[in-house]
Amino acid sequence: DYEKHMSDETVGQLQVLSEITRAILELHKPESFVLLGCCTGNGLEHINNSVTGKVYGIDINPEYLEITRKRFGDIIPRLKLICTDINTGNIPVSEADMVFAALIFEYVNIGTAVKKISECLNKRGKTIVVIQKNNHNRFVSETNCPSLLQLAGISKEVNEYEIVKAF
């Protein structure tokens, strides 16, 4: 349902996030990459194993991580999948070159998330953040996947300046 919803023509987020992942990997060429909120691995198809040797996929949903493992476990040799809740758990990664956090801050405590992301980066590490703006529309679009409407009850619109200030 999540992938159907995110790739629906009225939403288009799966496609956009995949393209952003490709672009940041090509531009920054991280040796170690953390995909925070990796879901089912969208964007990992753009990993170049000769450039990015360590890849961490982190998500709260173990079923999503299992799908990611099936899709990319044989393709990305040093893929490590970690099931954790960024609000309450740890990110057991250190010295990462890059963390990509797309559509995460809408569901977590910003201060807690920034602290944990910062702790897993090396001194020159970068964090790329993508947030959703609803522009006075529904936060979760209606699609043929009504189960996703429950996300509207736990999500919040975030202010990008609050994230920048926290970092």
Side-chain angles (χ1 to χ4, degrees), residues 8-137:
D8 187 275
E9 64 183 29
T10 64
V11 178
Q13 288 180 330
L14 206 66
Q15 301 88 326
V16 169
L17 292 175
S18 176
E19 178 56 27
I20 292 171
T21 306
R22 183 200 59 73
I24 64 172
L25 288 169
E26 286 181 8
L27 178 65
H28 297 288
K29 299 181 181 3
E31 291 180 23
S32 56
F33 178 70
V34 178
L35 183 56
L36 190 58
C38 77
C39 190
T40 55
N42 182 43
L44 292 179
E45 66 272 16
H46 304 295
I47 292 290
N48 178 341
N49 292 313
S50 64
V51 173
T52 307
K54 294 180 187 175
V55 178
Y56 302 89
I58 299 175
D59 205 280
I60 192 172
N61 187 322
E63 293 172 8
Y64 288 171
L65 292 172
E66 180 58 22
I67 293 168
T68 302
R69 185 193 63 73
K70 287 178 182 174
R71 288 181 179 167
F72 298 102
D74 293 335
I75 300 168
I76 304 171
R78 295 182 66 194
L79 175 64
K80 184 171 183 182
L81 300 173
I82 301 163
C83 187
T84 192
D85 179 341
I86 193 169
N87 281 316
T88 59
N90 293 320
I91 302 175
V93 175
S94 61
E95 299 298 311
D97 293 323
M98 178 176 286
V99 172
F100 182 39
L103 307 182
I104 295 298
F105 283 97
E106 292 83 357
Y107 301 94
V108 299
N109 177 283
I110 290 174
T112 300
V114 166
K115 181 180 185 302
K116 291 178 183 180
I117 289 169
S118 298
E119 290 171 349
C120 75
L121 288 166
N122 63 35
K123 289 183 182 185
R124 294 181 178 234
K126 296 174 177 68
T127 302
I128 308 292
V129 175
V130 175
I131 61 172
Q132 175 177 325
K133 293 291 188 178
N134 71 2
N135 300 319
H136 306 291
N137 294 315

